[in-house]
Amino acid sequence: MDGRNNSVLNLVVLFPDLLGTYGDGGNAAVLATRARARDIEVRVSEVTIGEEIPEASLYLLGGGEDGPQRLACDLLKDGGFVDRVAGGAAVFAVCAGLQILGTSFAIEGDATYPGLGLVDAVTTRGRVRSVGDMASRVGERMLVGFENHGGVTTLGPGVGALGTVLVGRGNDGVADGYRTPGIWATYAHGPVLALNPWLADEVLVELSGEPAAPWESVADRLYAERCATINSRRSDAARIRGSR
Amino acid sequence: MPRLRPRSALAATGVRFVNVLSRRLTRGAGTVMGGRVGLKIDPHLLTHLSAGRRVVLVTGTNGKTTTSAMLRVGWASSVTSNETGANMTEGLVAALAASPHDRVVLETDEGWFAGVVAAAAPEVVVLLNLSRDQLDRANEVRRMAQRWRDCLNADAFFGVVVANCSDPLVTYAAQTARYVRWVDVPLSWRGDAASCPHCTRAIVFEVGSWSCPCGFSKPTDVTARLSSALVINDTSFNLDLALPGTFNDVNAAFALTALAELGVSLPEALVRIRSLTTVQGRYGRRRYGERTLRLLLAKNPAGTTALLESLDEAADVWVAINAQLADGRDPSWLYDVPFEQLRGRHVRCLGERRLDIATRLTYAGVSCEVVEDPAVLRRGEGEVTLVANYTAFREWMDVTTPC
Ligand SMILES: [Zn+2]
């Protein structure tokens, strides 16, 4: 595909004017910086309402409010996006983006809206909104982030979660997001890749097909600090449970 | 049911609360507590305390405190106001109970605004702007615009609405009001207004205007317009404020348009507004050890973006970020601010979330360092601009002194 030619990493942020409520645009900046640090050539572009969706190595989808989420979904249905992803373009999606890629989602009250159907994932409205720190176990690592959403997402058989929830709700209090070939999705909104440099590097490794040389930055300290905060909270919670 | 009681009984009750509140207030920072107690006893206290007074409400995501200060000094004689920025119902009640003046300027929290309009029957309301702020605890901005619209429509509200017609969400909120004075100002942030509040289609922004295919577009019958000068009702004013930044010129445009509605002579009001050099510690110069600091409050993407545009080329920049309840627990908003504008500077990162801001700056390509102990910065030369969010700003107010 064009987007992968000449080993240029082509990152396309989709509709930041609709989906980008919580600094989600930061994820593209993180990938670009970390790729350039490994001498990988990167191009970052944004597609706004009314523009055509170009080819990409990786599309990034952020979070948004109900009305904009529905509009973004409509624009993605019409724009050839589904075919490109089915044809191998990768996607990194958070929050509303996670819901849009799925089979259906709930908006504006409890109305069900059809999603893009790229992933067998149904989102309904939860009884309460989940707002706060979120953490999950992804393989050997901890993913740290912040969630703010009212959705409950149920994955179909054969769809693997991205992580197992340690703190917060994620999809349903047990699993967070999903991971299918070429697609990463999480409820950890905002610049989740800024908080989790290892995940940014995993995405880069998969996109470039080459191992990523270590690259130290203050982001590693931030990640360690967030993990320590989560761990101390979890051990407090365990102590409280144990003392009962 | 309190509203069925005779008026005199209500008044007497009101006075008792005022006394209770005043006693509490003399002890200092108990404004919110006192208000809360008063409202427990009389849920309609805000209505009673506002009755017969000329009330102006100022709301919006950014500029409330400064615009209210401009209205206060611009209105000339004694004005009752919630100067300390306690802007939810308790704070408003406390301010009204503490001070008896006929003229009242109240900055009002965006989320509480609709209830306050209904209770206080203001003569003028000022709608500055509407963008995302602490979304982890506040409502989403579009829903906020709807609530404003519902409380200001022609059947519900009979006062004057002074509104920002450069901001589509504010325009939506004021569109159905009975008396609107549109103010046209430069807008550096429109990230929350990309999709039309009427039909969710894309709003098209062009220089000086915006419109949607559904017909929703920027009002043209403006009362005031700010470009190089401020023109209100065909009279032109050069602002020449002591306060820095285009965003403060914008605040002055709203304050003066509202003052015109209140019948105040604008040339005289402007002279008084020019005398403002600091508002609640903001913008003024403060001493920190050997250093001179200028403190700027940056709470959200729109406000911070406007501040970055106004930074002094020569000044050192420090950024202090916390994530306490009052700040919003989630500092993700840092990625909505174009910190890339700081490239070429060396920025010091402070506050509880100094690693978050340092990471943000690193990904923006800005040279920075994390300062674990700010006391080491007491020594040094040159002027510093300190950009801090809410609780970090308060901490820096406590450790600095006015010059
Ligand atoms: Zn429209």
Side-chain angles (χ1 to χ4, degrees), chain B residues 127-141:
Chain B
L127 310 182
L128 296 168
N129 47 58
L130 194 49
S131 68
R132 66 190 78 167
D133 184 13
Q134 303 181 12
L135 284 172
D136 62 310
R137 69 187 184 100
N139 278 297
E140 295 168 332
V141 288

Side-chain angles (χ1 to χ4, degrees), chain B residues 57-397:
Chain B
L57 300 183
V58 179
T59 195
T61 310
N62 288 302
K64 290 187 288 289
T65 303
T66 303
T67 306
S68 298
M70 289 173 170
L71 272 160
R72 198 161 55 235
V73 301
W75 213 350
S77 67
S78 308
V79 174
T80 291
S81 188
N82 53 338
E83 284 177 55
T84 59
N87 61 15
M88 302 186 198
T89 307
E90 306 94 85
L92 308 189
V93 162
L96 288 164
S99 160
H101 304 302
D102 178 44
R103 297 172 173 187
V104 178
V105 175
L106 299 172
E107 74 157 88
T108 309
D109 179 86
E110 306 90 280
W112 294 79
F113 178 71
V116 174
V117 169
E123 187 172 330
V124 176
V125 301
V126 179
L127 310 182
L128 296 168
N129 47 58
L130 194 49
S131 68
R132 66 190 78 167
D133 184 13
Q134 303 181 12
L135 284 172
D136 62 310
R137 69 187 184 100
N139 278 297
E140 295 168 332
V141 288
R142 304 165 72 81
R143 209 166 297 160
M144 194 87 82
Q146 185 64 49
R147 296 213 324 253
W148 288 8
R149 183 177 166 102
D150 292 344
C151 80
L152 294 177
N153 79 67
D155 297 325
F157 181 65
F158 302 95
V160 174
V161 180
V162 173
N164 184 349
C165 66
S166 302
D167 184 326
L169 289 176
V170 168
T171 303
Y172 178 75
Q175 205 183 13
T176 51
R178 194 172 289 257
Y179 309 106
V180 188
R181 305 291 176 261
W182 296 114
V183 181
D184 184 3
V185 296
L187 196 66
S188 61
W189 174 271
R190 55 180 199 229
D192 292 299
S195 133
C196 174
H198 283 285
C199 71
T200 75
R201 270 180 285 183
I203 289 182
V204 181
F205 286 89
E206 284 161 71
V207 178
S209 77
W210 52 262
S211 63
C212 174
C214 75
F216 181 51
S217 62
K218 182 172 173 178
T220 50
D221 51 337
V222 302
T223 299
R225 177 174 280 124
L226 175 67
S227 50
S228 55
L230 173 65
V231 178
I232 299 181
N233 294 325
D234 300 325
T235 308
S236 182
F237 302 89
N238 287 311
L239 290 173
D240 294 325
L241 303 181
L243 298 179
T246 304
F247 56 96
N248 277 322
D249 290 348
V250 169
N251 293 335
F254 286 101
L256 288 164
T257 306
L259 288 166
E261 282 307 314
L262 296 165
V264 178
S265 156
L266 293 190
E268 290 164 31
L270 180 54
V271 169
R272 292 189 293 265
I273 288 172
R274 283 191 189 122
S275 72
L276 275 177
T277 55
T278 174
V279 177
Q280 296 294 313
R282 303 174 204 180
Y283 316 118
R285 285 182 167 72
R286 299 181 66 85
R287 179 74 56 202
Y288 183 62
E290 296 172 1
R291 306 260 198 181
T292 308
L293 270 55
R294 187 175 253 222
L295 266 58
L296 301 179
L297 177 65
K299 296 182 295 185
N300 49 45
T304 311
T305 301
L307 281 187
L308 291 183
E309 286 167 3
S310 75
L311 287 183
D312 185 347
E313 285 287 332
D316 266 345
V317 175
W318 304 353
V319 184
I321 300 296
N322 286 353
Q324 296 179 16
L325 193 61
D327 305 305
R329 296 281 191 194
D330 176 22
S332 292
W333 63 276
L334 294 174
Y335 288 81
D336 287 325
V337 176
F339 280 107
E340 287 77 5
Q341 289 185 22
L342 296 179
R343 281 180 192 163
R345 297 174 189 259
H346 182 73
V347 177
R348 292 196 162 95
C349 302
L350 300 154
E352 294 165 349
R353 302 306 287 266
R354 53 191 176 273
L355 291 173
D356 290 82
I357 180 62
T359 299
R360 169 67 188 110
L361 291 172
T362 299
Y363 284 127
V366 177
S367 163
C368 64
E369 69 184 80
V370 177
V371 180
E372 301 296 337
D373 177 12
V376 302
L377 299 174
R378 286 179 168 274
R379 307 197 58 164
E381 287 172 8
E383 184 156 313
V384 175
T385 300
L386 173 64
V387 177
N389 70 341
Y390 194 70
T391 63
F393 183 89
R394 282 194 176 169
E395 289 166 14
W396 278 92
M397 282 294 287

